[in-house]
Amino acid sequence: MVKVINTLLAIVGGVGGALVLYWLLNFIAERLPARWEDRVKPYFYILPAVAALGLYLVYPLIQTIIYSFANNTSSAWVGFKNYTDLLSQRDFQITLVNTLLWILIAPAVVVALGLAVATLADRLAPRGEQTAKTLIFLPMAVSGVALAAIWRFIYEVRPAGEPQIGLLNAVVTKLGHDPVAWLQLSTGKTNTFLLMVVLIWSQVGFSMVLLSAAIKGVPDETLEAARIDGAKERQVFFRIVVPQIWGTVITVFVTTLINVMKIFDIVYVMTGGNFNTNVVAVRFINELITNGNQGRAATIVVILVIAIIPLMVYQVRNFRAQEAAR
């Protein structure tokens, strides 16, 4: 009961505080000379948002960069030691390679499957299209931890001779083979690819929804004109549809890519980063919580931020280009 009351007080206090703040800023702006009121009022309205970003995003980022040059308790400077130590460790190099594989493969597959499903679903009858899209989008509503728990049952392995509750090993043993420890199969990064399947399964619905909306926005006149000119369906798709939805394709790709770079829950729940499946986010948690090394944890965050910044810049430029083209 106390928690409910605290929650209600927080909601009322937060909303009420925001209303009072904006009323106060507007009151101050209206008391200024008319020419100054028009100039400063937009800045007054965005001031709370800018202040919140500075407090909750910029300040922690600066503090994290500072900590990356300090020791495990952030009590003494160590220069670039955290960076050189991490980058020279074999297991961290494997972690970077795994993260790179996730970046190269998962977003591309998500976009390709999402585009294929969106195209095929749009050819169904309305009821069939709605049903298909609902089923494909359903995993998107499930948390990463729950997804990982579900897929652990699919990859589960029991000793040979015992009943197999894992779907894959049930099939394998029915075919007369020994059960396989799929999540420990690091040869050729097999277990990493199996983990990617879980993320792809959950993200295809997101990709499909956005790309389907973009495909429906392609004018029928351009499609009919291409068909009248003798273009085949494949040519219509790749030369008419895809160029017109390219902005959405890039947006979906970059959004998925950023999510992939932060991938944590699936790897942590299914393997804990063992069997050469570790990724940057899991290594960060291990350094911060398990090893208690704040310096290395901050260093990993800085490396991740440096890797994400070019993507953010590209996404902003792409958004501006789309806005300018309208």
Side-chain angles (χ1 to χ4, degrees), residues 230-279:
K232 297 180 180 178
E233 287 303 314
R234 180 178 298 179
Q235 294 173 316
V236 170
F237 179 74
F238 285 106
R239 297 185 179 182
I240 305 296
V241 175
V242 171
Q244 295 195 53
I245 66 169
W246 191 245
T248 305
V249 171
I250 295 298
T251 300
V252 172
F253 181 84
V254 173
T255 304
T256 308
L257 182 58
I258 292 173
N259 290 332
V260 166
M261 295 180 76
K262 298 182 295 183
I263 188 70
F264 167 76
D265 40 17
I266 292 174
V267 177
Y268 189 79
V269 172
M270 298 189 73
T271 66
N274 297 313
F275 317 116
N276 291 333
T277 61
N278 211 358
V279 291

Side-chain angles (χ1 to χ4, degrees), residues 136 139-140 147 150-151 196-205:
I136 294 169
M140 185 72 190
L147 287 172
I150 293 170
W151 278 83
M196 290 182 197
V197 171
V198 183
L199 178 90
I200 292 168
W201 183 63
S202 68
Q203 293 292 313
V204 165

Side-chain angles (χ1 to χ4, degrees), residues 89-102 182-196 267 270-280 282-283 286:
Q89 290 178 2
R90 176 62 180 162
D91 59 342
F92 189 69
Q93 293 171 359
I94 293 173
T95 298
L96 292 179
V97 171
N98 290 337
T99 306
L100 182 61
L101 285 175
W102 278 85
W182 297 102
L183 295 178
Q184 301 178 26
L185 196 61
S186 60
T187 305
K189 298 291 182 185
T190 303
N191 47 7
T192 295
F193 293 131
L194 292 175
L195 296 178
M196 290 182 197
V267 177
M270 298 189 73
T271 66
N274 297 313
F275 317 116
N276 291 333
T277 61
N278 211 358
V279 291
V280 169
V282 176
R283 179 61 185 268
N286 289 336

Side-chain angles (χ1 to χ4, degrees), residues 149-214:
I150 293 170
W151 278 83
R152 275 185 66 107
F153 284 109
I154 295 178
Y155 297 142
E156 180 67 29
V157 60
R158 296 291 172 86
E162 292 187 11
Q164 298 295 325
I165 65 170
L167 177 62
L168 287 183
N169 277 316
V171 174
V172 168
T173 53
K174 282 291 183 185
L175 294 175
H177 301 286
D178 291 332
V180 179
W182 297 102
L183 295 178
Q184 301 178 26
L185 196 61
S186 60
T187 305
K189 298 291 182 185
T190 303
N191 47 7
T192 295
F193 293 131
L194 292 175
L195 296 178
M196 290 182 197
V197 171
V198 183
L199 178 90
I200 292 168
W201 183 63
S202 68
Q203 293 292 313
V204 165
F206 162 76
S207 173
M208 172 202 67
V209 168
L210 294 187
L211 293 173
S212 176

